[in-house]
Amino acid sequence: MEENLSSEKKIKSLEDEIQRRRAFAIIAHPDAGKTTLTEKLLLYGGAIQLAGHVRARKDRKSTKSDWMTMEKERGISVSTAALQFEYEDCCLNLLDTPGHQDFSEDTYRTLMAADSAVMLLDASSGVEPQTIKLFHVCRERKIPIITFINKMDMPALDPFVLIDDVEKTLNISATPMFWPMGSGQDFKGVYDLKNNMVHRYERVTGGAYRAPDSVSGLDDPELKSMMDEDLYHSFREGVELVKDGLSDFDMELFLAGEITPVFFGSAITNFGVELFLKRFLELAPPPAEINLKSGGSLIPKSEDFSAFVFKLQANMNRMHRDRVAFVRITSGKFERGMNVSVARLKKQVKLSSPVAFFGQERSTIDTAFPGDIIGLINPGLYQIGDILYTGTVPDFHPLPRYAPEMFARLVPTDTGKLKSFRKGVTELSEEGVVQTFSSQDGSTIIGAVGQLQFEVFQFRLQDEYQAPCRLENLGYECSRWIKEEDIKKFSSYDLILRDEKENPVVLFKSDFRLKSFTEANPEIEIFEHPPG
Ligand code: G4P
């Protein structure tokens, strides 16, 4: 009887599984410490031995698989997958966005699979250009954003300047949850405003161990003795000024992406990371209801299974030359071998070989729940945005495509390879590596949001399809979708193309040209995303 009870306890209901899940991404400008923070989060999640893989992946010092030769050669992370780890009773799915200077639509789309985002800032620089771009994608989706200001062990900007920077640059209210005690050589720890606790930082070499934490109240006389008088006074003053703000912290506004709670720490030394993780789990929401096009909403604990494809990756494993579709589960329980319908194809498929990824390692999974990411070996079946379901099909809003910011004419350089050239262009565009357009003169134009997408495209066309090509830069800097009837209203200064679905798109030479055109023609509607 007792045995039965305890085994029953271990079986979690679908609702329990959903409540303990957090699907999130870290958004950051390169070098802010995303790899380091990811590693440290995994360390607390008990994946210590695996944590090194995150860095290995970045440094390319050792990799087990040889897929994406270019990634290896250039030491950059082109692909995006998810890392799953447990902490306390929560199951965290960290969507891994590339940390390279150049970024791509892939990075944007990955954010579609996240329920919240950690915005990581370098305390010496504050909000940087890439942070702004990624922030706006999160903002558009109205997902909650939690700010972690990193590198407090290094000389940092004044915390008030940092808070102000977040508020003014990103137009979001920022509420400190921690307040730092100094920075750089004088960094003494953080004060937890909610719990009225001081967490002291002790320098440890290497940063490979959990940071020692000792806790006492703000009135602890030892606190005064730890800091020089000036630092102590400015710290106390800072706390006085920000502590009232805490009562203004409104959970609903936070969940709607209108307020960001702010934490301070130092990922490299582990300091503040576990404190942050605990609070993150309280704040970040589990998978929520999803608004549908028809007006209703999809409830994650529905008995019916549903999921959508947010990323395709071809040739992940050279041995198998397979294509993997990354799927975010939105409702119901996933079980290996289940039959689901693919909405676009109006066809049933059996999901017999689902895989979970940890960096580049994969393992088969038997069950998964809303908030989880699974990889499906995809023999050219799936497209980005595909909906998988049992029961009735949920009419999700389509995944947005983003207006490219650079364009090039694609010229095949080996006429003997035209067939594989066309195949490669089609498959790589389907995968979302670049967007393809056609121009009036019949040539193929590719568009991307970052230069890296072009390089990856060109490399993969050559490497995987043996179809070399030349890219001729067109010299346009932004694009917008337009209405068919407005085509004639653009001058020869702008270039009109057609996207894969024949929708008209206009290319502008510069942001300035776009701005002056819209100011001069307020009646012409232009769109950042394609219709549909
Ligand atoms: P990224 O993925 O966002 O690009 O950043 P990454 O974690 O690689 O960190 C960038 C650099 O910043 C690394 O130094 C890393 O060690 C350092 N760093 C990360 N967090 C902290 C922190 O809290 N404090 C300090 N002082 N440094 C931090 P690097 O010299 O480029 O690389 P490495 O030789 O340390 O690996």
Side-chain angles (χ1 to χ4, degrees), residues 28-37 55 58-59 99 120 150-154 265-269:
H29 192 81
D31 269 351
K34 191 158 68 78
T35 314
T36 311
L37 181 66
R55 185 152 296 279
K58 183 169 167 158
D59 293 351
L120 182 70
N150 190 31
K151 305 198 187 181
M152 289 306 295
D153 60 302
M154 298 285 281
S266 156
I268 196 105
T269 61

Side-chain angles (χ1 to χ4, degrees), residues 141-212:
R141 283 200 57 219
K142 298 188 169 47
I143 60 169
I145 299 161
I146 298 146
T147 304
F148 185 88
I149 299 184
N150 190 31
K151 305 198 187 181
M152 289 306 295
D153 60 302
M154 298 285 281
L157 295 171
D158 181 274
F160 282 107
V161 171
L162 286 161
I163 298 285
D164 210 43
D165 186 26
V166 170
E167 294 200 322
K168 297 226 167 82
T169 314
L170 302 173
N171 191 22
I172 187 171
S173 299
T175 306
M177 294 283 152
F178 291 173
W179 197 247
M181 296 149 70
S183 67
Q185 279 303 321
D186 293 329
F187 183 50
K188 303 292 181 200
V190 292
Y191 176 63
D192 175 347
L193 291 145
K194 182 179 161 217
N195 297 315
N196 246 338
M197 299 261 201
V198 168
H199 296 262
R200 282 184 246 169
Y201 165 68
E202 288 169 38
R203 279 181 191 272
V204 285
T205 42
Y209 305 100
R210 293 175 187 222

Side-chain angles (χ1 to χ4, degrees), residues 37-137:
L37 181 66
T38 303
E39 249 177 46
K40 301 303 160 99
L41 291 174
L42 296 173
L43 173 87
Y44 288 111
I48 299 172
Q49 74 282 18
L50 293 168
H53 281 244
V54 181
R55 185 152 296 279
R57 181 161 161 239
K58 183 169 167 158
D59 293 351
R60 301 283 130 215
K61 281 179 189 140
S62 71
T63 43
K64 289 203 169 157
S65 149
D66 68 347
W67 69 278
M68 295 295 273
T69 324
M70 177 175 169
E71 208 193 7
K72 211 153 89 174
E73 280 172 3
R74 305 217 350 201
I76 53 172
S77 167
V78 182
S79 110
T80 312
L83 307 172
Q84 188 178 66
F85 63 100
E86 301 252 341
Y87 181 74
E88 294 185 338
D89 196 32
C90 282
C91 176
L92 292 97
N93 289 307
L94 170 52
L95 287 140
D96 181 17
T97 49
H100 191 259
Q101 195 80 30
D102 277 313
F103 71 153
S104 61
E105 271 199 279
D106 226 24
T107 316
Y108 288 155
R109 272 198 299 263
T110 294
L111 293 172
M112 300 298 137
D115 294 322
S116 61
V118 171
M119 179 166 73
L120 182 70
L121 303 180
D122 179 331
S124 66
S125 354
V127 177
E128 293 176 87
Q130 198 146 313
T131 335
I132 303 176
K133 285 190 175 187
L134 294 165
F135 173 87
H136 284 302
V137 177

Side-chain angles (χ1 to χ4, degrees), residues 346-362:
K346 297 190 175 57
K347 158 177 174 171
Q348 280 231 329
V349 290
K350 188 178 167 78
L351 304 179
S352 45
S353 51
V355 283
F357 289 87
F358 196 102
Q360 292 169 25
E361 280 157 35
R362 54 171 83 178

Side-chain angles (χ1 to χ4, degrees), residues 321-340:
R321 295 200 72 86
D322 53 7
R323 298 176 86 193
V324 177
F326 288 94
V327 166
R328 151 79 202 237
I329 300 176
T330 42
S331 70
K333 181 179 178 182
F334 168 83
E335 281 174 296
R336 180 150 69 101
M338 75 192 295
N339 289 310
V340 302

